[in-house]
Every structure is written in structure tokens, then in C-alpha cells.
């Protein structure tokens, strides 16, 4: 098994209606990941997507899985996982004695494992095809099944880093009304959209200008969130940043002996199996994790944030339920339109709707001060880059197998 670890740091360092992060959040994660990719990876990705003739960026496919949920209804439960016994903020279990909510054996952890396996099989088939000819030429290799798996992978790794996608209580917070800056919304939307939009609006002026880093600037697209990404990279991920001491551990995976991911082979895909038949797996460490890719291990501490911060105890004292009419920012609008929508007229709750206000120093203030959302999107970006580098980096086998002694972080 090839190591996921060296390359991500080598280039820098069923709940219908649930969206994991909004459009901006998913595109931010994808863009951070692209900054970290080994130089040989994007040509292969663009060839799989058959996008050689136009600008090709990971951000362009980051929200695809949300846009197609209504056409691919089988994919809906693959965006989240929730434990039956989980009940933040009182207690958080992952998954607990009674296992997961939703459809049996279908959740975001198992889906990450399996779409990665589909892409790994594609790489092996491609290497067999080019044996003796090297891997230099990747043009004309667009493949619908591999492209679909790749788009799911980019999106699902983002979903896994949104804490409310890891708890089943009240449909991941969709079923609980709150207010944010005086506007009635729900807890899930606060984390999907409002916290990021608020940070994008308040970005310091010095991050609105290009910075002296080709690795960063080359992947930015003049999007509304570009200054936000610059700040996350320079203050969080670069040398001397706030996550410098923990960054190396973000890709660590404890070995799980006896893992059985039950991923079908690429040959079976070619023989006619559909992707919907291939994405399964219960989402426990024994079935999803190894020493390279470990979605359960990565997700567990993110899930704990639901009890530590995301689901405040005061919310149960002011609990208000609502029929969810979740806006589909991630499905139908751009990040610019999403932030503009969030900047629209405030909707003041009626007097008989005592929703808990979350834009307070005790809640949103702590999230901002501790850079909680920024850390989550940065971590998702690094792990997505690591996964894609593990799958697609074109390097001799002996270098692929080694730990990162041959790789040092670019000093930005």
C-alpha cells in the first residue's frame, strides 16, 4: 500500500436536504487541496474529467455531488453518518452499541473508502495499460465511472469535516431553529454557510492583494473566497502558522489489522457494475481504515466537537423544532451568490419563536477566535490532497513507499 503522507506536505506542507458546507466551503476545501497537490497529479485528474481543453480546477467539481443528489437519490445517505445513540450536547458516541442511523452500510465514511478504491483500481488498470511506456501521457483518458468517483471523493472528504454531518440528532441540526445575527435559520445552516460567509466579509485588506507564492496564486480564480484562502494558508498552514505543530499529524493513520473494505475491483466496474452498487461499507474503523486512508480515525475527533462546541447546551433549553426547508446554496448557486444571499435582509423571529441567538461572543465569538472553521477546512484540504497524491502522484515505487524524509515543506 502506498503512503498517503509524504506528498500532501511535500508541495506545501438519509437526511434529504443536508449539505456539508455550502458552495463556498466545498470550493475552499478543494482549492486548498489543489495547492498541496504534487505537480503530476492535476494532469491526471483533468484527463479523467476530460477537461484538458479548458481551465481545470478541483473547485469546479467540489459541489457536483450536491447538485446530483435528486437525480442520484441512492447517493443521499453517503453525505453523512449519525449514531443511533448519539445525542449532543449530552453525550457523543461514534457509533455506540446500536450502530449508525440511516440506510444500512451506506454513509460518508464507507463511501470515501470505496470511491478511493474505485480510483485505485483505475490507476492499477492504467499502469498495466502503459507498462513499458511510462505514465507520461494522460490525454484522452476520460472515464465516466472514474470521473464520478473522483467528484464524489472531493465532496465527501469535505462533508466528513463538517461536524454536524457526523451526528444524526435532529437531522444533523437541520431540525432545530436558531437565529444568527438576528436571522432565523437552523443550526446546520449556521455551520454550512453563515460562519464562513461572516469571515469572508471581514477578511483583512492585506489578503485582498496577491501574495508572493506561485503555489497559492496559481490555483486561485478571483473567487469571493480567495482572500480567505490566502489567510488560512499563510496564518494557519505555512511555516510559523498556528497549526504548524499539528499539521504533520493530520494524515496519520493507525494500522487496523484485518480490515475488509469489500471494495469491488475495477474489472467488475468494466463488466457493468454501476457506481451505486459499489459504494457500501459500514463506516467502522475495521471496515474503512488502514495505515494510509482512515476516514473513521479522522472523523472521530471532528464528531466530538458536537459535544464540545457545535451543539451548545443552551440550545436544549431553547429548543425550537421546525419543518426543514433547507436552501440549496451548494446545489444551484455560486459562492458569490451564496454570500450575497446571506447578506440579504434579516428575518427577525416572531415573539412567540424564542430561538437561541448564536452570533454571540460565547458561541460565534469562540468559533472565530479559535479558528475552528478554518482549521476544519484546512484539515479537509490537506487530507484531500494527501488522498489524491496517494492515488495519482507519478513517482517511482521506492519513493512512494518511503516516509517523508525526502520531502520538505515549501517555505512560503
Amino acid at each position: 500500500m502506498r503512503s498517503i503522507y509524504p506528498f500532501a506536505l511535500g508541495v506545501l506542507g438519509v437526511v434529504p436536504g443536508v449539505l456539508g458546507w455550502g458552495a463556498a466551503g466545498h470550493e475552499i476545501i478543494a482549492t486548498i487541496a489543489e495547492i498541496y497537490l504534487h505537480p503530476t497529479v492535476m494532469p491526471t485528474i483533468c484527463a479523467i474529467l476530460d477537461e484538458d481543453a479548458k481551465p481545470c480546477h478541483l473547485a469546479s467539481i467540489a459541489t457536483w455531488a450536491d447538485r446530483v443528489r435528486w437525480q442520484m437519490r441512492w447517493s443521499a445517505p453517503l453525505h453523512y453518518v449519525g449514531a443511533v445513540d448519539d445525542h449532543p450536547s449530552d453525550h457523543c458516541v461514534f457509533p455506540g452499541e446500536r450502530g449508525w442511523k440511516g440506510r444500512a452500510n451506506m454513509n460518508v465514511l464507507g463511501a470515501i473508502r470505496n470511491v478511493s478504491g474505485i480510483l485505485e483500481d483505475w490507476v492499477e488498470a492504467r499502469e498495466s495499460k502503459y507498462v513499458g511506456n511510462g505514465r507520461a501521457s494522460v490525454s484522452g483518458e476520460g472515464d465516466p465511472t472514474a470521473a464520478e468517483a473522483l467528484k464524489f471523493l472531493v465532496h465527501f472528504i469535505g462533508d466528513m469535516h463538517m461536524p454536524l454531518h457526523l451526528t444524526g440528532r435532529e437531522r444533523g441540526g437541520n431540525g432545530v431553529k436558531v437565529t444568527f445575527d438576528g436571522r432565523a435559520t437552523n443550526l446546520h445552516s449556521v455551520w454550512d454557510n453563515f460562519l464562513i460567509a461572516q469571515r469572508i466579509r471581514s477578511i483583512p485588506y492585506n489578503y485582498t492583494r496577491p501574495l508572493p507564492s506561485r503555489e497559492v496564486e496559481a490555483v486561485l480564480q478571483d473567487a469571493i473566497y480567495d482572500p480567505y484562502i490566502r489567510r488560512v494558508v499563510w496564518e494557519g498552514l505555512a511555516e510559523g502558522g498556528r497549526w504548524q505543530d499539528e499539521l504533520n499529524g493530520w494524515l496519520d493513520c493507525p494500522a487496523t489489522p484485518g480490515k475488509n473494505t469489500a471494495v469491488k475491483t475495477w474489472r467488475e466496474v468494466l463488466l457493468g457494475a454501476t457506481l451505486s452498487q459499489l459504494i457500501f461499507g459500514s463506516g467502522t474503523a475495521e471496515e474503512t481504515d488502514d495505515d494510509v486512508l482512515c476516514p473513521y480515525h479522522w472523523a472521530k475527533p471532528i464528531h466530538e466537537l458536537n459535544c464540545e462546541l457545535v451543539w451548545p447546551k443552551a440550545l436544549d433549553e431553547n429548543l425550537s423544532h421546525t419543518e426543514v426547508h433547507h436552501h440549496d446554496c451548494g446545489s444551484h448557486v455560486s459562492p458569490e451568490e451564496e454570500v450575497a444571499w446571506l447578506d440579504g435582509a434579516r428575518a427577525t423571529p416572531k415573539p412567540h419563536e424564542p430561538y437561541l441567538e448564536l452570533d454571540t461572543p460565547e458561541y460565534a465569538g469562540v468559533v472565530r477566535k479559535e479558528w475552528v472553521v478554518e482549521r476544519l477546512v484546512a484539515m479537509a484540504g490537506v487530507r484531500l490532497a494527501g488522498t489524491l497524491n496517494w492515488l495519482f502522484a507519478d513517482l517511482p515505487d521506492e519513493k512512494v513507499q518511503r516516509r517523508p524524509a525526502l520531502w520538505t515543506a515549501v517555505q512560503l
Side-chain angles (χ1 to χ4, degrees):
M1 181 66 73
R2 290 175 288 176
S3 172
I4 199 173
Y5 183 92
F7 312 119
L9 302 184
V11 181
L12 228 193
V14 187
V15 186
V18 171
L19 301 178
W21 306 117
H26 275 291
E27 292 189 17
I28 287 166
I29 290 168
T31 303
I32 291 172
E34 193 170 333
I35 294 169
Y36 278 75
L37 291 180
H38 186 271
T40 63
V41 171
M42 274 309 291
T44 300
I45 286 175
C46 295
I48 291 173
L49 298 172
D50 198 20
E51 295 189 357
D52 289 337
K54 58 184 177 181
C56 177
H57 293 286
L58 287 181
S60 67
I61 62 172
T63 62
W64 175 87
D66 278 336
R67 296 196 300 270
V68 301
R69 282 179 308 138
W70 307 119
Q71 291 77 39
M72 299 181 175
R73 291 184 178 274
W74 55 265
S75 71
L78 305 180
H79 291 253
Y80 69 95
V81 63
V84 174
D85 299 315
D86 196 37
H87 196 273
S89 64
D90 296 331
H91 55 273
C92 284
V93 292
F94 200 69
E97 293 182 359
R98 293 189 292 167
W100 305 112
K101 290 178 182 286
R103 295 175 59 182
N105 301 329
M106 295 188 70
N107 59 53
V108 69
L109 306 181
I112 289 171
R113 178 80 257 175
N114 282 277
V115 293
S116 299
I118 290 168
L119 291 169
E120 191 174 7
D121 287 338
W122 180 89
V123 170
E124 291 176 0
R126 174 171 168 263
E127 288 176 341
S128 298
K129 177 180 178 181
Y130 285 99
V131 63
N133 297 321
R135 295 173 59 188
S137 175
V138 294
S139 61
E141 295 185 20
D143 182 281
T145 303
E148 197 170 277
L150 176 61
K151 293 176 205 177
F152 275 128
L153 178 64
V154 170
H155 189 87
F156 290 157
I157 287 183
D159 278 348
M160 188 193 75
H161 286 78
M162 205 286 224
L164 288 167
H165 269 246
L166 305 178
T167 180
R169 186 183 179 194
E170 296 289 350
R171 292 168 286 178
N174 270 283
V176 180
K177 279 278 192 176
V178 296
T179 60
F180 193 88
D181 192 22
R183 178 183 302 163
T185 181
N186 62 64
L187 181 63
H188 195 102
S189 289
V190 168
W191 282 83
D192 257 1
N193 308 104
F194 283 86
L195 290 169
I196 289 180
Q198 186 180 68
R199 293 291 263 182
I200 290 173
R201 292 196 303 265
S202 61
I203 201 74
Y205 174 73
N206 59 308
Y207 289 105
T208 63
R209 302 190 305 272
L211 298 173
S213 168
R214 288 179 297 176
E215 290 84 2
V216 176
E217 294 298 327
V219 304
L220 300 180
Q221 304 172 68
D222 296 323
I224 193 172
Y225 50 73
D226 284 3
Y228 180 86
I229 291 174
R230 292 187 181 100
R231 190 182 191 193
V232 168
V233 170
W234 282 80
E235 293 189 30
L237 294 169
E239 183 182 21
R242 62 176 60 224
W243 306 307
Q244 181 178 7
D245 293 340
E246 60 179 287
L247 181 60
N248 286 351
W250 285 356
L251 291 170
D252 285 349
C253 285
T256 306
K259 177 187 69 66
N260 178 17
T261 60
V263 177
K264 294 191 177 183
T265 66
W266 185 252
R267 184 176 294 105
E268 290 175 284
V269 178
L270 297 177
L271 291 174
T274 64
L275 193 59
S276 61
Q277 294 170 316
L278 297 172
I279 301 179
F280 56 90
S282 70
T284 60
E286 292 76 14
E287 295 197 3
T288 64
D289 292 8
D290 55 32
D291 60 352
V292 174
L293 182 68
C294 51
Y296 177 89
H297 173 74
W298 292 342
K300 196 171 188 302
I302 298 171
H303 168 261
E304 292 170 359
L305 288 174
N306 288 305
C307 278
E308 296 171 1
L309 172 64
V310 176
W311 199 295
K313 292 185 181 298
L315 187 56
D316 287 322
E317 301 170 3
N318 295 269
L319 192 60
S320 298
H321 294 77
T322 182
E323 181 181 355
V324 178
H325 298 284
H326 189 83
H327 68 275
D328 269 0
C329 283
S331 297
H332 304 296
V333 304
S334 69
E336 288 79 7
E337 292 169 321
E338 179 179 85
V339 173
W341 181 85
L342 294 169
D343 273 336
R346 296 179 182 178
T348 304
K350 298 176 183 178
H352 66 278
E353 296 174 334
Y355 303 152
L356 180 67
E357 170 64 49
L358 294 183
D359 190 13
T360 64
E362 297 77 19
Y363 191 82
V366 172
V367 174
R368 291 190 295 267
K369 180 180 178 181
E370 300 298 327
W371 276 44
V372 175
V373 171
E374 287 74 20
R375 181 175 178 271
L376 289 169
V377 296
M379 189 180 295
V382 168
R383 286 170 173 165
L384 175 57
T387 304
L388 295 173
N389 285 330
W390 161 63
L391 287 166
F392 301 125
D394 187 2
L395 289 170
D397 288 343
E398 62 272 14
K399 288 187 178 180
V400 173
Q401 291 287 349
R402 295 183 62 177
R403 297 299 284 178
L406 297 178
W407 295 85
T408 57
V410 172
Q411 304 301 310
L412 296 181

